[in-house]
């Protein structure tokens, strides 16, 4: 099956056109600056050069029209007819408590996604726009929603309830949801494959470290806890986000600096984390460079980042009463030799021993722990788009077989 995978943000759309049989992305690209007269579409057909088109793309409907047009283009396209798009798979950020798996998008599902707008005011509205736009251009093509929150939604109440009055959970659905679920699911499944045991028998910690960072405790193939919470702000230190913080600090800063709610929100989401501590950069590559040059603030940021991950490894090993594998993924997890080394240092007690040579020479999915490490440590590149394409294929095939 050939699936168009769409990840729609407020001013950008990332897409991949994936053949689920070969698992190859026949084309991938991105539309940026939607809403502006100088929007940019970059498109790379499999095995060919990237092309760049600049034009006026005022909304998501026009953006998707462009995406379909470039897929059909005689020079840069990969299909001859729109009908070759068998299905569309959408990344949807927040499924609330409604969705514990991917679903065929129906009117009822659209209403449920709309009901969750309050929980993800920045993300669900562009996801909805993308679905409506794809429906407009491909009215007879099945569409599937794959939710960032779905993998975590069945974690136990002890992991998702906050220590606040229970009525507030009932009234406003304030609980831990967790995000990056598609990535945590994918890399934990890949780790089980690499180990050669059924995932049902394994205890795995997955660390998705990108611009946003989160970890999950995956026991028997199920997420039983994760670091991001009600929003993607909780947990690990991230490029620009604070992660865990004493809630009183926020009230204190607001009072001292006279900040409004929205200013406090910006402070915690955009000016904190690596950029906040280092004053240098939110980008781990630049932090590492600064650390090597002896920059003390960058070293603080680097240390706080790694230490937080270490603490969660300890916490999740306790939560699962053991650990079989630790997986690093995401831009930092896949590429930073230094972060993996720091996080895994002095962890022998927990059974984690890194092999420096393996850690420094990674390629594709690979083991980076030593042969005598009780816990297997892996570097596994994530592939959320492939998961979305495969989920879409599965749901559409099931649907067709019922007809
Ligand atoms: P997003 O969460 O937006 O998808 P990515 O997963 O691409 O982001 O991760 C971006 C992060 O990965 C940045 O902090 C970047 O510095 C980091 N990164 C990418 N390559 C390297 C590298 N070689 N060494 C260290 N960090 C890297």
């Amino acid at each position: 099956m050939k699936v168009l995978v769409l990840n729609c943000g407020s001013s950008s759309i990332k897409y991949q056109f994936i053949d689920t049989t070969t698992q190859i992305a026949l084309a991938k690209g991105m539309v940026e600056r939607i809403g502006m007269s100088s929007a940019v579409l970059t498109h790379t057909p499999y095995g060919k050069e990237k092309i760049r088109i600049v034009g006026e793309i005022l909304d998501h409907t026009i953006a998707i029209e462009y995406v379909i047009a470039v897929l059909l283009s005689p020079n840069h396209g990969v299909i001859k007819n729109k009908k070759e798009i068998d299905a569309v798979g959408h990344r949807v950020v927040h499924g609330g408590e409604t969705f514990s798996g991917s679903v065929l998008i129906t009117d009822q599902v659209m209403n449920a996604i709309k009901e969750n707008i309050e929980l993800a005011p920045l993300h669900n509205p562009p996801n909805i726009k993308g679905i409506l736009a794809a429906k407009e251009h491909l009215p007879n093509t099945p569409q599937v929603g794959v939710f960032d929150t779905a993998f975590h939604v069945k974690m136990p109440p002890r992991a998702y309830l906050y220590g606040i009055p229970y009525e507030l959970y009932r009234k406003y659905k304030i609980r831990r949801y967790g995000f990056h679920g598609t990535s945590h699911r994918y890399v934990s499944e890949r780790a089980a494959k690499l180990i050669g045991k059924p995932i049902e028998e394994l205890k795995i910690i997955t660390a998705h470290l990108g611009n946003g960072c989160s970890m999950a405790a995956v026991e028997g193939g199920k997420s039983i806890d994760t670091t991001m919470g009600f929003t993607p702000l909780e947990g690990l230190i991230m490029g620009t986000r604070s992660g865990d913080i004493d809630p009183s600090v926020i009230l204190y800063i607001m009072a001292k600096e006279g900040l409004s709610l929205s200013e406090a929100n910006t402070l915690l989401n955009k000016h904190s984390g690596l950029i906040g501590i280092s004053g240098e950069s939110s980008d781990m590559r630049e932090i590492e460079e600064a650390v090597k040059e002896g920059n003390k603030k960058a070293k603080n940021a680097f240390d706080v980042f790694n230490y937080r991950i270490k603490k969660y490894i300890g916490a999740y090993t306790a939560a699962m009463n053991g650990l079989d594998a630790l997986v690093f993924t995401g831009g930092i997890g896949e590429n930073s030799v230094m972060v993996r080394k720091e996080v895994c240092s002095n962890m022998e007690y927990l059974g984690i021993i890194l092999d420096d040579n393996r850690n420094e020479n990674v390629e594709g999915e690979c083991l980076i722990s030593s042969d005598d490490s009780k816990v297997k440590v892996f570097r596994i590149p994530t592939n959320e788009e492939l998961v979305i394409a495969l989920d879409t294929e599965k749901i559409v095939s099931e649907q067709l077989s019922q007809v």
Side-chain angles (χ1 to χ4, degrees):
M1 187 175 280
K2 287 183 186 142
V3 181
L4 177 60
V5 175
L6 295 176
N7 179 356
C8 298
S10 57
S11 64
S12 72
I13 295 179
K14 289 187 195 147
Y15 65 91
Q16 287 198 13
F17 187 56
I18 297 181
D19 181 339
T20 55
T21 314
T22 57
Q23 302 201 351
I24 285 174
L26 300 173
K28 49 174 88 169
M30 187 162 171
V31 188
E32 289 167 283
R33 301 162 62 92
I34 296 171
M36 301 194 191
S37 55
S38 58
V40 181
L41 185 151
T42 45
H43 171 83
T44 315
Y46 182 67
K48 290 193 188 160
E49 289 288 298
K50 184 192 272 192
I51 60 153
R52 191 166 182 274
I53 301 166
V54 180
E56 186 176 77
I57 300 182
L58 291 180
D59 60 26
H60 285 64
T61 309
I62 300 170
I64 289 180
E65 192 178 335
Y66 267 80
V67 171
I68 296 171
V70 81
L71 288 173
L72 284 165
S73 136
N75 294 331
H76 313 291
V78 290
I79 49 174
K80 296 210 161 50
N81 192 310
K82 258 207 257 197
K83 287 192 182 135
E84 289 177 56
I85 303 173
D86 296 309
V88 184
H90 294 268
R91 174 189 181 216
V92 184
V93 169
H94 219 308
E97 291 190 311
T98 330
F99 301 106
S100 58
S102 306
V103 286
L104 188 76
I105 295 175
T106 59
D107 290 346
Q108 214 180 352
V109 167
M110 280 301 270
N111 287 336
I113 299 173
K114 283 181 195 155
E115 276 166 23
N116 288 318
I117 284 180
E118 258 195 323
L119 297 174
L122 298 179
H123 293 104
N124 277 21
N127 295 158
I128 291 168
K129 277 190 194 165
I131 295 169
L132 293 175
K135 268 193 173 171
E136 197 173 324
H137 295 296
L138 303 161
N140 301 316
T141 309
Q143 310 214 26
V144 167
V146 179
F147 301 89
D148 261 26
T149 47
F151 185 52
H152 305 297
V153 92
K154 289 204 172 138
M155 63 186 143
R158 63 171 182 267
Y160 73 67
L161 285 178
Y162 287 116
I164 54 172
Y166 191 73
E167 305 87 78
L168 293 174
Y169 160 58
R170 298 295 296 270
K171 212 166 152 186
Y172 301 118
K173 297 188 176 169
I174 298 173
R175 51 160 283 177
R176 177 182 309 287
Y177 288 99
F179 299 86
H180 291 144
T182 313
S183 176
H184 290 296
R185 169 156 69 101
Y186 174 73
V187 297
S188 57
E189 284 169 1
R190 290 303 310 155
K193 283 256 161 29
L194 294 173
I195 294 170
K197 274 194 184 168
I199 198 165
E200 290 73 22
E201 293 171 16
L202 294 170
K203 295 168 178 174
I204 302 172
I205 294 175
T206 48
H208 178 108
L209 311 176
N211 282 317
C213 300
S214 72
M215 290 167 68
V218 184
E219 188 172 1
K222 298 194 167 69
S223 168
I224 62 133
D225 204 349
T226 188
T227 56
M228 283 180 168
F230 179 59
T231 71
L233 181 56
E234 196 182 347
L236 303 179
I237 296 281
M238 307 175 216
T240 61
R241 291 175 236 168
S242 66
D244 295 339
I245 190 169
D246 176 348
S248 305
V249 170
I250 302 153
L251 306 176
Y252 191 79
I253 299 173
M254 286 175 78
K256 285 282 181 196
E257 300 266 315
L259 298 188
S260 67
L261 280 177
S262 123
E263 285 165 336
N265 195 36
T266 306
L267 175 77
L268 294 168
N269 278 289
K270 302 260 188 251
H271 304 302
S272 298
L274 293 177
I275 182 87
I277 302 173
S278 70
E280 287 283 326
S281 172
S282 62
D283 189 298
M284 186 52 88
R285 281 166 292 203
E286 290 176 18
I287 293 288
E288 289 184 358
E289 281 313 308
V291 170
K292 286 178 197 156
E293 286 161 12
N295 181 315
K296 288 208 173 73
K297 284 184 172 174
K299 176 75 166 76
N300 277 341
F302 185 71
D303 288 347
V304 177
F305 181 90
N306 296 321
Y307 182 61
R308 181 84 44 96
I309 299 170
K310 228 179 218 298
K311 285 208 288 190
Y312 271 112
I313 293 174
Y316 286 169
T317 305
M320 294 192 286
N321 187 24
L323 182 64
D324 296 300
L326 168 66
V327 183
F328 288 95
T329 193
I332 299 172
E334 290 165 30
N335 299 305
S336 173
V337 174
M338 278 171 74
V339 165
R340 293 191 302 253
K341 186 177 166 72
E342 276 307 310
V343 168
C344 294
S345 66
N346 299 320
M347 297 282 261
E348 297 84 3
Y349 177 79
L350 272 188
I352 295 174
I353 307 170
L354 211 64
D355 179 311
D356 281 338
N357 189 33
R358 286 178 185 165
N359 184 41
E360 283 160 22
N361 297 291
V362 292
E363 204 190 319
E365 296 178 341
C366 57
L367 183 79
I368 54 170
S369 49
S370 70
D371 291 338
D372 54 349
S373 178
K374 201 157 71 77
V375 174
K376 291 197 184 311
V377 184
F378 293 104
R379 176 253 198 192
I380 300 181
T382 197
N383 195 342
E384 286 153 288
E385 292 78 11
L386 179 63
V387 180
I388 295 173
L390 293 176
D391 271 17
T392 301
E393 179 192 38
K394 186 161 171 268
I395 284 165
V396 171
S397 307
E398 280 167 6
Q399 203 68 22
L400 290 175
S401 69
Q402 281 169 19
V403 177

